[in-house]
Amino acid sequence: MKRLDVSWDGVYDSTGYLFSFAKSLACAVKNSPWAEGAEDLVASSGFAFRMWVSPDLCPSATSIWDFESQKPWVENGGFTCGYVGRYWGQENLEEQRRLEAVELIKRSIDSGIPAVAWDIGVPEWGLITGYDDQREKLAYLSITGEAGKMPYQELGKREVPILSVLTVTGKTDKAPEDILRDTKRLAVQHLTGGEWCDNAKGLAAYPALIRHFEADFNPDLSWNMEYFLGTFGALKYYAWKYLEKMGEKELADLYREVDQAWQEAFAIKKGEDLSQPEVRNRIAQLLSGAHQKEIQAVELMSKTG
């Protein structure tokens, strides 16, 4: 088996719940010739700004978005990539797309870069790290940290049987100022509800999440609340650091405060008794404050994006 030595080490994850696509993408780039661009790409692809929240806080809400947009979103950050997808209602394309995806993966592994793929180990994003044509096996690294193998035939046919494979193939000459401009455009488009999703998205995700710490509190959803706080809270760091690096002081200051609010909310959820109304109220207030900061950020990015 041809296999890359890859781990999640070096991918900053403040909560342990960093959105699995963003974490996988950053790890793939860190294991490429363009490793210095890994953290920037989490922001420039727009994922540092994205939020999706379902009414019942089902974790799968974070994986309901337009998978076909992965390629243009990643390429916004000045990278080139390969992509193969096959979704619901496309069963007639199943074998063709699977074969295309396996070839895409093999080319990426041969170039020394792991491939980002859906439903790897668990129904989240993970990495394909190797292949064995003789045994028709893929090596993988799950977002859980589990390393294992799976048959070629299982690709796109596991717990949530859709196919999505993205590979990072190169860099373009897109100027940093153009990447920044288009990143703001992507962020505004998402935060104002312009990107497809069946659930509350962008700024609307805030009230959808906050209500679970207020009138709609259900102790049975305690872990779900932690998952959403951790998944999106860990992304805010990447928005802050990218904007700071690009000299966008006012925006960076806003996202530094947004990041701090989410981090504190997550820490309270992890360390205190959520059954106490005053504990939930503190989390709700922190999220409400972050919401207002992101509203201000949208106004700024709309003017300068």
Side-chain angles (χ1 to χ4, degrees), residues 41 51 103 118 144 153 177 204-205 207-208 283 289 295:
L41 187 55
M51 297 173 283
E103 289 305 310
W118 166 250
T144 64
Q153 287 288 343
E177 58 270 24
I283 293 174
I295 289 172

Side-chain angles (χ1 to χ4, degrees), residues 107-232:
R107 288 197 298 273
S108 191
I109 300 301
D110 288 345
S111 71
I113 307 171
V116 179
W118 166 250
D119 200 0
I120 300 302
V122 295
E124 291 258 6
W125 299 93
L127 293 171
I128 303 292
T129 59
Y131 70 90
D132 183 336
D133 272 342
Q134 185 175 356
R135 294 178 176 81
E136 295 197 338
K137 294 272 189 176
L138 297 170
Y140 67 79
L141 178 64
S142 170
I143 197 68
T144 64
E146 174 201 7
K149 297 176 184 178
M150 60 185 281
Y152 286 5
Q153 287 288 343
E154 280 191 8
L155 188 64
K157 296 175 65 176
R158 286 175 39 80
E159 289 185 56
V160 182
I162 56 178
L163 175 72
S164 183
V165 175
L166 179 139
T167 59
V168 177
T169 59
K171 281 280 286 178
T172 68
D173 58 0
K174 186 173 183 180
E177 58 270 24
D178 293 334
I179 293 173
L180 174 63
R181 179 200 64 222
D182 292 344
T183 298
K184 291 179 184 178
R185 177 187 55 79
L186 277 178
V188 169
Q189 184 181 22
H190 172 75
L191 290 166
T192 57
E195 292 177 357
W196 176 85
C197 177
D198 275 345
N199 298 300
K201 57 198 172 188
L203 294 174
Y206 274 103
L209 180 57
I210 290 168
R211 70 180 181 85
H212 288 281
F213 296 96
E214 297 182 324
D216 293 340
F217 174 66
N218 179 348
D220 292 338
L221 295 179
S222 176
W223 179 83
N224 304 64
M225 295 180 222
E226 183 175 312
Y227 177 89
F228 279 89
L229 287 174
T231 296
F232 300 128

Side-chain angles (χ1 to χ4, degrees), residues 19 21 47 52 61-67 70 73 125 196-197:
F19 179 48
F21 180 84
F47 282 98
W52 308 274
T62 62
S63 298
I64 300 175
W65 42 279
D66 181 12
F67 285 8
Q70 288 174 56
W73 286 346
W125 299 93
W196 176 85
C197 177

Side-chain angles (χ1 to χ4, degrees), residues 18-133:
L18 177 63
F19 179 48
S20 59
F21 180 84
K23 191 167 184 174
S24 299
L25 179 63
C27 192
V29 177
K30 275 190 174 294
N31 288 274
S32 79
W34 315 284
E36 72 284 351
E39 289 197 356
D40 290 353
L41 187 55
V42 176
S44 61
S45 62
F47 282 98
F49 304 91
R50 294 194 174 98
M51 297 173 283
W52 308 274
V53 176
S54 58
D56 60 354
L57 289 188
C58 178
S60 65
T62 62
S63 298
I64 300 175
W65 42 279
D66 181 12
F67 285 8
E68 284 291 312
S69 292
Q70 288 174 56
K71 182 176 170 65
W73 286 346
V74 171
E75 291 184 341
N76 178 71
F79 286 82
T80 58
C81 60
Y83 183 77
V84 176
R86 191 264 309 151
Y87 316 111
W88 307 115
Q90 296 183 329
E91 288 76 11
N92 60 312
L93 299 175
E94 184 178 288
E95 183 66 6
Q96 172 195 332
R97 295 289 170 82
R98 184 186 66 80
L99 292 172
E100 290 175 8
V102 169
E103 289 305 310
L104 189 67
I105 289 166
K106 288 163 61 177
R107 288 197 298 273
S108 191
I109 300 301
D110 288 345
S111 71
I113 307 171
V116 179
W118 166 250
D119 200 0
I120 300 302
V122 295
E124 291 258 6
W125 299 93
L127 293 171
I128 303 292
T129 59
Y131 70 90
D132 183 336
D133 272 342

